[in-house]
Amino acid sequence: MRTTRRMMCAAALAFAATGSWAQGTTMVMASTTSTEQSGLFGHLLPEFTKATGITVKVVAVGTGQAIDMAKRGDADVLFVHDRAAEEKYVAEGYAPRRHPVMYNDFVLVGPKSDPAGVKGNDIVEALKKISASNAPFISRGDKSGTDAAEKRFWVQSGIANRGGGYKECGCGMGPALNIGASSNAYVLADRGTWLSFKNRGDLDILVQGDKRLFNQYGVMLVSPQKFPHVKAAEARKFIDWVTSPAGQQVIASYRIDGEQLFFPNAGTEN
């Protein structure tokens, strides 16, 4: 009888230890600043932890830096928004595949007085006017997804000289907006971070609605073949959850002042 009890106690302790370990599992996500600075992760990740017991440590940097981090095997999962760079990352064997998760859009913000006269829905024409008027423009210049999009728009404008007011801050979205607000400058921002940004000063959205401003996010497992130490099981659970109806609903439910910041579209090819 005593032996049986000892065995039962030992089994209970082993179960408790295993349960405690499972609940304490932590994985690392390399991600873009917009997902964190918009407040999305503060809304999303506690729900994932509640559903799985897995805690996510986020390292929020520009998309380019996040991809470089994942290429070194310093993360378990990658969550970014530069489709061309993501597809290249997968093609080079650093991830089995790319999973679309959600989208929003970019907006061009600037002084309400709009000295360059850019207001409208054509981002390329807006940049031409900013260049021609030498209006102040703050570029992130940090190889982020937003920075990559901005550089594409400048290329599409056909302008080599971006004007005397063009400056790169080499910083994240929040700091770039702070600089823009303090200097009454134009800034390209993702809508999510703009909606959560409080220090707007005299800035307002001036250009939106151009289909070129579409902003898609993707999530990828960091290759366990290249990096055997990657917590692949936990990362797969996150990818499965965030692309599931439950995870997609949590994304859709994130709002600021009643306005939805991100729109789930898992399973699409955007």
Side-chain angles (χ1 to χ4, degrees), residues 92-219:
E92 291 173 346
Y94 287 100
R97 60 171 291 195
R98 168 186 172 272
H99 304 263
V101 178
M102 63 188 190
Y103 71 92
N104 63 4
D105 62 344
F106 296 109
V107 293
L108 183 69
V109 302
K112 293 173 184 175
S113 60
D114 190 16
V118 305
K119 192 172 180 66
N121 60 3
D122 190 323
I123 185 61
V124 170
E125 285 302 314
L127 294 181
K128 289 179 181 178
K129 290 177 180 178
I130 289 170
S131 173
S133 63
N134 292 311
F137 183 97
I138 304 302
S139 172
R140 285 179 58 174
D142 63 347
K143 297 183 179 179
S144 62
T146 304
D147 184 56
E150 180 211 309
K151 297 297 190 289
R152 285 196 303 272
F153 302 148
W154 281 112
V155 169
Q156 290 166 13
S157 75
I159 297 171
N161 180 357
R162 295 169 186 172
Y166 179 90
K167 293 180 181 177
E168 292 188 351
C169 68
C171 61
M173 194 71 262
L177 284 169
N178 276 320
I179 296 169
S182 65
S183 58
N184 268 349
Y186 293 92
V187 186
L188 183 76
D190 69 280
R191 189 182 293 270
T193 304
W194 169 253
L195 287 174
S196 63
F197 183 64
K198 304 302 182 185
N199 182 34
R200 296 183 181 181
D202 194 47
L203 301 185
D204 202 358
I205 294 176
L206 297 176
V207 178
Q208 60 183 326
D210 189 328
K211 64 181 181 180
R212 290 170 290 198
L213 293 171
F214 180 81
N215 181 29
Q216 175 71 43
Y217 289 79
V219 64

Side-chain angles (χ1 to χ4, degrees), residues 13-50:
L13 288 170
F15 176 80
T18 303
S20 175
W21 177 86
Q23 292 299 311
T25 301
T26 300
M27 55 172 277
V28 176
M29 178 192 296
S31 186
T32 177
T33 58
S34 61
T35 44
E36 183 173 62
Q37 292 177 359
S38 65
L40 174 68
F41 280 161
H43 174 79
L44 180 73
L45 297 183
E47 295 301 318
F48 170 67
T49 300
K50 190 186 300 182

Side-chain angles (χ1 to χ4, degrees), residues 220-238:
M220 288 144 283
L221 167 70
V222 176
S223 172
Q225 282 70 44
K226 281 187 177 290
F227 306 106
H229 64 273
V230 162
K231 292 182 178 178
E234 291 84 352
R236 286 193 181 99
K237 281 185 180 179
F238 175 76

